[in-house]
Amino acid sequence: MTEKELFFNTENAENFVNSEDINNFLALSEEARKTLMTGTGAGNDFLGWVDLPGRIDSAEIKKIESDVKRLTPKCRLFVVIGIGGSYLGTRAVIEALQSEFAPFEQERKHPYIIYAGHTLSEDYYAQLMPLLDRYDYGVAVISKSGTTTEPAVAFRIIKGHMEKKYGQEEARERIIAITDAHRGALHAIAEQEGYSSYVIPDNVGGRFSVLTPVGLLPIAMAGYDIHRLIEGAHQAMQEYHRLPAQENDALRYAAYRNALYSKGYKVEMLTNFTPSLKYVSEWWKQLYGESEGKEGRGILPHSLSFTTDLHSMGQYMQEGERTLIETVVSVANSHERVQIPTDEKDLDGVNYLTGKSLTEINHCAERGTIEAHHDGGVPVIRIELTELNESSIGRLIYFFEYACGVSGYMLGVNPFNQPGVEAYKKNMFRLLGKK
Ligand code: PA5
């Protein structure tokens, strides 16, 4: 696919920053891009994601495809065990592409993906086990460090279940490990057991790892075309590496965020009018929150799904503290058409919508919302995808990743570390008496 599939628009943010400011921030975004591309900034040992879409190993893709082919006929369910960057990108892509009602589909060519290792809720696992009793399943256990408690605990429980259900030999066939090349407990287990394994490159941090086997294996297992996903990201990469800031959507996004932040806009609300984008928002929150929220700085990333949340958070968006930026991820075309039927009596008063599609109505809701929020003092940035498919999602992922690297450097932090994530772990280990 070569036509443009992501459109970036700032017309409803422009009156919140003057053009001189924006030009200064665009110049700063060029500087930050140079720092990123020359590898001269903080965290430069974690830049493996920057040119990743252009150099994904075809042997690795073939191995993924062969594991998918081998496990698909055997598995009704496929459990992805992982947390944070080892889970959110996968879920973002799969949920953006699959039907909201996928669990109810009777005829499925591919396993239905379910998740574990992202919570310590006992009830969650208690509810999961009967499903694993009932349905045939496979597992991908994903952890870069190979030592994270949540996935380690989940894997111990599920591995035990699997060995009981299928026997050790068959369980070994059904488990895939995705982890560090050399270190960590998961690496040791995978070696010892002889699981089909994949490496998470040293220089790609968790939240930037969706285009490594971390995301590619489960996304392919769910039946999606990872070649198109990579191609979308690759096209985005070529554009954002090359274009000058004025014409570069990723740099413009980074520039607007930082310009608005400097004026006191401290919260960015990522909104959508398409509920299947919920996990894109979750992934985006991790990407920006973990990359920028440090040293007492950083825009707070938050998200809402409209029109649902207009009936819960709409009031705050319209009239709450004026420190909000809104970034709308909009989808121009739906895959299906559902029209409003006519009704002879029109007791509900919606005959004026007869013949309109829900997308037309949803777009009017979006336009009305943007206008209202803008007029209420919220700068609104808009990102439009022509439709939801592997290629457009690949492009969106790279757009947000690249803008994040640039934006973090503009903010003056190391966007590629996450020292704060350790604090809760230390306390938890102390409370659990870990030696
Ligand atoms: O982005 C990150 O680095 C984190 O969110 C990690 O992905 C998360 O903590 C899981 O770590 P690991 O893959 O080592 O289990």
Side-chain angles (χ1 to χ4, degrees):
M1 164 114 31
T2 47
E3 68 265 20
K4 200 160 163 63
E5 42 192 15
L6 184 153
F7 294 86
F8 181 78
N9 184 306
T10 54
E11 68 186 332
N12 287 299
E14 281 157 16
N15 58 321
F16 295 87
V17 273
N18 65 44
S19 58
E20 195 185 324
D21 276 346
I22 246 330
N23 285 335
N24 288 339
F25 277 93
L26 283 169
L28 289 173
S29 77
E30 291 273 18
E31 282 300 306
R33 172 169 64 175
K34 202 190 276 170
T35 307
L36 188 68
M37 298 308 288
T38 53
T40 48
N44 57 3
D45 44 348
F46 282 100
L47 298 181
W49 60 274
V50 174
D51 61 350
L52 184 63
R55 58 172 181 83
I56 294 174
D57 184 5
S58 58
E60 190 158 72
I61 300 289
K62 285 213 173 76
K63 178 167 155 56
I64 289 174
E65 288 171 340
S66 135
D67 274 334
V68 169
K69 204 166 158 201
R70 182 173 62 81
L71 287 177
T72 295
K74 295 186 185 198
C75 302
R76 169 90 167 101
L77 300 178
F78 192 75
V79 190
V80 172
I81 301 178
I83 194 165
S86 290
Y87 140 82
L88 281 168
T90 294
R91 193 160 187 176
V93 175
I94 292 175
E95 299 213 353
L97 298 177
Q98 80 181 1
S99 159
E100 291 282 348
F101 305 103
F104 301 99
E105 286 167 355
Q106 295 297 328
E107 300 294 317
R108 282 184 64 85
K109 290 199 190 105
H110 288 268
Y112 180 68
I113 309 297
I114 55 177
Y115 301 90
H118 60 312
T119 173
L120 292 168
S121 158
E122 188 153 6
D123 285 343
Y124 187 90
Y125 291 96
Q127 289 159 16
L128 175 64
M129 296 332 261
L131 277 190
L132 302 186
D133 287 338
R134 195 172 323 138
Y135 297 108
D136 282 317
Y137 70 99
V139 165
V141 52
I142 309 174
S143 175
K144 186 172 185 200
S145 62
T147 55
T148 308
T149 308
E150 291 90 335
V153 163
F155 185 52
R156 182 177 286 201
I157 295 169
I158 292 169
K159 178 175 184 274
H161 180 276
M162 206 180 222
E163 288 176 349
K164 211 158 142 204
K165 177 165 176 169
Y166 296 108
Q168 258 192 327
E169 273 308 306
E170 179 59 15
R172 190 171 293 146
E173 292 291 309
R174 287 171 180 266
I175 295 172
I176 293 172
I178 305 176
T179 188
D180 184 83
H182 310 288
R183 291 178 300 266
L186 180 57
H187 173 78
I189 298 173
E191 281 244 301
Q192 197 172 318
E193 299 279 1
Y195 298 148
S196 175
S197 298
Y198 295 83
V199 168
I200 309 175
D202 268 353
N203 60 358
V204 180
R207 58 191 175 275
F208 290 87
S209 70
V210 59
L211 298 173
T212 72
V214 169
L216 296 178
L217 182 282
I219 292 165
M221 195 64 77
Y224 296 106
D225 185 342
I226 53 175
H227 296 272
R228 288 190 73 207
L229 184 79
I230 295 165
E231 184 49 28
H234 190 205
Q235 284 186 16
M237 178 191 115
Q238 288 170 312
E239 201 175 302
Y240 304 146
H241 287 199
R242 178 176 52 84
L243 290 177
Q246 296 279 3
E247 300 161 34
N248 189 315
D249 294 341
L251 266 58
R252 286 171 63 217
Y253 179 49
Y256 266 92
R257 299 179 82 247
N258 279 280
L260 289 164
Y261 183 59
S262 74
K263 301 219 168 301
Y265 292 91
K266 299 210 180 286
V267 179
E268 182 177 5
M269 198 64 79
L270 194 77
T271 65
N272 62 63
F273 287 75
T274 312
S276 64
L277 291 176
K278 175 177 160 47
Y279 272 88
V280 168
S281 297
E282 295 304 318
W283 168 80
W284 170 88
K285 280 193 275 193
Q286 186 201 355
L287 184 66
Y288 281 80
E290 227 170 55
S291 300
E292 294 192 324
K294 50 196 71 156
E295 299 172 32
R297 273 180 276 174
I299 294 176
L300 170 68
H302 199 340
S303 67
L304 294 172
S305 215
F306 293 157
T307 59
T308 312
D309 292 332
L310 286 173
H311 298 260
S312 60
M313 285 289 287
Q315 174 60 36
Y316 194 99
M317 289 300 292
Q318 195 63 42
E319 295 181 356
E321 193 182 54
R322 301 296 74 186
T323 49
L324 294 173
I325 305 166
E326 180 172 356
T327 298
V328 184
V329 180
S330 175
V331 181
N333 299 300
S334 52
H335 296 296
E336 311 286 345
R337 201 173 153 82
V338 177
Q339 281 176 304
I340 309 302
T342 191
D343 183 284
E344 217 178 290
K345 295 197 183 119
D346 195 26
L347 292 176
D348 51 16
V350 288
N351 262 359
Y352 77 105
L353 296 174
T354 297
K356 285 199 190 308
S357 73
L358 276 166
T359 297
E360 282 175 86
I361 299 171
N362 206 13
H363 285 164
C364 288
E366 181 191 316
R367 287 215 298 275
T369 304
I370 290 175
E371 191 181 321
H373 291 174
H374 169 270
D375 294 351
V378 179
V380 184
I381 293 167
R382 186 168 178 274
I383 298 162
E384 181 182 291
L385 301 179
T386 44
E387 66 168 33
L388 285 182
N389 57 42
E390 290 92 333
S391 175
S392 67
I393 291 292
R395 179 175 273 274
L396 184 68
I397 285 170
Y398 196 84
F399 166 83
F400 277 137
E401 286 184 352
Y402 199 69
C404 183
V406 170
S407 182
Y409 279 148
M410 290 176 76
L411 186 66
V413 297
N414 174 356
F416 307 114
N417 65 2
Q418 54 284 329
V421 180
E422 295 310 309
Y424 97 91
K425 294 184 192 169
K426 273 191 206 140
N427 294 343
M428 178 177 76
F429 293 147
R430 176 174 46 76
L431 292 166
L432 288 169
K434 186 179 179 192
K435 302 260 183 289

